[in-house]
Amino acid sequence: MEIVVRPTAEAAATYAHDLLVEHVRRQPTTVLGLPTGATPLPVYARLVQSHRTALFSMQSVTTFNLDEYYGLGLKHPASYTAYMSRALFDHVDCPASQRHIPNGLAADAQQEAADYEALIAAAGGIDFMLLGIGRNGHIGFNEPGSDFASRTRLVDLTPSTLAANAPFFADGETQPKQAISMGIGTILQARRIVVLATGASKAEAVRQSLEKPAKTAVPASALHLARDVTFVLDQACAGI
Ligand code: PGA
């Protein structure tokens, strides 16, 4: 496991962007795992910029997002489908047929999860996974206690995750309490994982994740079991 510390959140995002672009340049058919949330937004902004200057193409890339709220309309601005369109997909050349996000409106969530897992396998697995981390140590929507062998499935969100994401929903609006998320076992199979964590609010979660042994109370600590992991932090998150 490698830990890279950059002075600022912006510099950390640039570093993560550079790793991803390098990877896609070496392997244009890369299968990417992609996160949502506030942390990766500057990475996506840089990818859009790199695409505009013709340094970066997603023409042959396949993407799998980590998760999607269950029961939320795809057009709702807080859905991760809408987020990905806004942040990245509307501005780059990745064909729609190569982009995957769990369908949060699927009538049968278990079937949708199983189908998603099968699609990842059919694509040959994830080559490069960009990850964020929750203040409670979650990766994707794998909340504390999630089994390290878990696969894509319907999950219940914890009160702390609901509180963290509440600002994205209008007052009085019903916030989804469940999501379809890649499992920890799914994530661990990625051939390369880059975790981007910035800001003092993530410092404790990162510190606990780096502690051995891995324990299910801290989902991101499972990354000790993955093949090739780089944590990219800013100084505030690294506590220096
Ligand atoms: P954030 O979310 O980037 O919005 O903090 C990260 C996560 O919960 O995985």
Side-chain angles (χ1 to χ4, degrees):
M1 186 175 283
E2 183 192 20
I3 301 165
V4 174
V5 181
R6 309 311 285 174
T8 63
E10 292 294 304
T14 299
Y15 192 89
H17 157 275
D18 292 352
L19 291 177
L20 192 157
V21 167
E22 264 304 296
H23 199 287
V24 171
R25 226 178 261 149
R26 274 201 316 274
Q27 186 191 355
T29 58
T30 296
V31 178
L32 285 176
L34 294 176
T36 47
T39 313
L41 284 173
V43 179
Y44 293 142
R46 282 159 177 71
L47 290 175
V48 170
Q49 195 56 37
S50 294
H51 175 64
R52 287 204 177 117
T53 51
L55 293 171
F56 175 64
S57 170
M58 295 184 72
Q59 189 73 50
S60 306
V61 165
T62 299
T63 67
F64 287 94
N65 265 80
L66 277 165
D67 45 23
E68 178 59 286
Y69 287 111
Y70 188 58
L72 190 63
L74 304 186
K75 293 220 159 56
H76 189 290
S79 81
Y80 291 153
T81 303
Y83 167 108
M84 287 307 296
S85 297
R86 273 194 315 267
L88 185 68
F89 292 144
D90 283 353
H91 316 288
V92 294
D93 58 348
C94 189
S97 59
Q98 289 159 218
R99 310 183 315 219
H100 306 91
I101 303 178
N103 177 7
L105 290 179
D108 183 340
Q110 307 298 352
Q111 188 59 50
E112 172 65 15
D115 290 348
Y116 201 69
E117 194 72 33
L119 276 175
I120 295 172
I126 291 167
D127 295 307
F128 184 107
M129 175 120 218
L130 183 63
L131 276 185
I133 178 171
R135 286 165 193 74
N136 64 358
H138 75 195
I139 45 176
F141 273 136
N142 294 286
E143 302 286 27
S146 298
D147 195 300
F148 285 176
S150 55
R151 314 305 303 198
T152 305
R153 67 207 186 289
L154 185 65
V155 295
D156 294 326
L157 306 180
T158 59
S160 88
T161 295
L162 291 169
N165 293 339
F168 300 105
F169 295 88
D171 282 348
E173 198 179 5
T174 310
Q175 193 181 346
K177 307 236 170 358
Q178 291 182 304
I180 297 175
S181 178
M182 263 188 217
I184 295 182
T186 319
I187 293 169
L188 292 182
Q189 282 185 330
R191 287 179 267 278
R192 173 114 175 81
I193 298 177
V194 172
V195 186
L196 179 63
T198 54
S201 67
K202 299 290 176 69
E204 182 58 18
V206 168
R207 191 190 64 71
Q208 288 188 25
S209 306
L210 296 175
E211 262 175 22
K212 279 192 190 175
K215 47 181 185 296
T216 56
V218 185
S221 70
L223 296 169
H224 286 292
L225 309 173
R227 275 178 259 198
D228 183 356
V229 181
T230 302
F231 274 80
V232 182
L233 313 174
D234 65 352
Q235 284 183 348
C237 185
I240 55 177

